[in-house]
Amino acid sequence: MIRILLAVLVTCSSLSLSAQELSKKETKAINKRLKTYVKLTKKEDYNALMNLIYPKIFEVASKEQMIEVFNSLEAQGFDMIFEEMKITSLKPVSISTSANYVLCPYDMKMKVALVNKEMQNLEIANSMLEAFKMVYSTGTVSLDKENYTFQIEGKKHLVAIQNSDYGKDWYFAEFDQSNPMLLNMMFPEEVIKKTKELVKD
């Protein structure tokens, strides 16, 4: 009886350990999709990028609506340039669930220029500066007042999700703690809790 109990404990320990580690196949699949995600983000190819977004988010806003929002930024007078988006690690979120979640921290650098002449005044620029500082509270935001250009640098977090409801592919969603309502709609409570712990590490 003792031997059986020991065998069960060893098996459970092994399962717990493997659940916290990515296989080579999983790592390769995630990195391949991430490479495409970063490439499309830098190219601002939002139509193609939607194919990599976690489909559950489209219950909140359709693909067409999201593409329209991204494309409307230029029409509103914003020119966004992603200078860098570097994935720094892959951290499995170890929980008991049918879906798989992996935290993907990344370093980013981005420029946002105000190209609309009506927006090129210091009052608007300073208001936007404060707004950007709130969104990127863990990074740095500066304003070139001569050129009305913001330089934004910081660490952000994607979550890679493999959910059988949407097939075998890995999809991505931003883990934005400033938007708890959206997080609660996309992720189980336990996933949010564990991911927040990993973000702090």
Side-chain angles (χ1 to χ4, degrees), residues 38-47 49 70-71 74 78-82:
V38 171
K39 181 180 178 182
L40 293 174
T41 300
K42 287 183 175 180
K43 286 176 63 180
E44 299 178 42
D45 186 347
Y46 302 119
N47 288 281
L49 187 64
F70 284 123
N71 288 335
E74 186 173 346
F78 298 97
D79 183 17
M80 295 173 60
I81 302 171
F82 289 92

Side-chain angles (χ1 to χ4, degrees), residues 7-26:
V8 171
L9 285 171
V10 168
T11 302
C12 288
S13 297
S14 298
L15 288 172
S16 297
L17 181 62
S18 63
Q20 296 174 13
E21 296 176 350
L22 289 171
S23 67
K24 289 184 179 179
K25 183 178 180 180
E26 288 172 324

Side-chain angles (χ1 to χ4, degrees), residues 33-90:
R33 299 271 285 182
L34 276 172
K35 186 176 181 180
T36 303
Y37 186 96
V38 171
K39 181 180 178 182
L40 293 174
T41 300
K42 287 183 175 180
K43 286 176 63 180
E44 299 178 42
D45 186 347
Y46 302 119
N47 288 281
L49 187 64
M50 291 301 112
N51 296 320
L52 297 175
I53 299 294
Y54 187 35
K56 193 171 181 65
I57 200 170
F58 301 129
E59 295 174 14
V60 181
S62 69
K63 287 184 180 182
E64 292 74 19
Q65 287 173 325
M66 292 185 67
I67 291 169
E68 186 178 344
V69 168
F70 284 123
N71 288 335
S72 68
L73 291 174
E74 186 173 346
Q76 293 175 32
F78 298 97
D79 183 17
M80 295 173 60
I81 302 171
F82 289 92
E83 297 178 312
E84 180 178 281
M85 187 176 177
K86 182 181 179 183
I87 308 297
T88 56
S89 62
L90 301 179

Side-chain angles (χ1 to χ4, degrees), residues 86-102:
K86 182 181 179 183
I87 308 297
T88 56
S89 62
L90 301 179
K91 300 181 179 182
V93 181
S94 182
I95 61 164
S96 300
T97 177
S98 58
N100 297 312
Y101 302 87
V102 178

Side-chain angles (χ1 to χ4, degrees), residues 1-6:
M1 184 67 178
I2 293 176
R3 288 182 179 179
I4 294 173
L5 286 172
L6 285 172

Side-chain angles (χ1 to χ4, degrees), residues 143-158:
L143 169 63
D144 177 349
K145 293 182 179 180
E146 278 189 35
N147 298 303
Y148 292 97
T149 301
F150 302 91
Q151 180 72 50
I152 302 169
E153 298 183 24
K155 183 178 286 291
K156 301 285 284 180
H157 299 86
L158 282 174

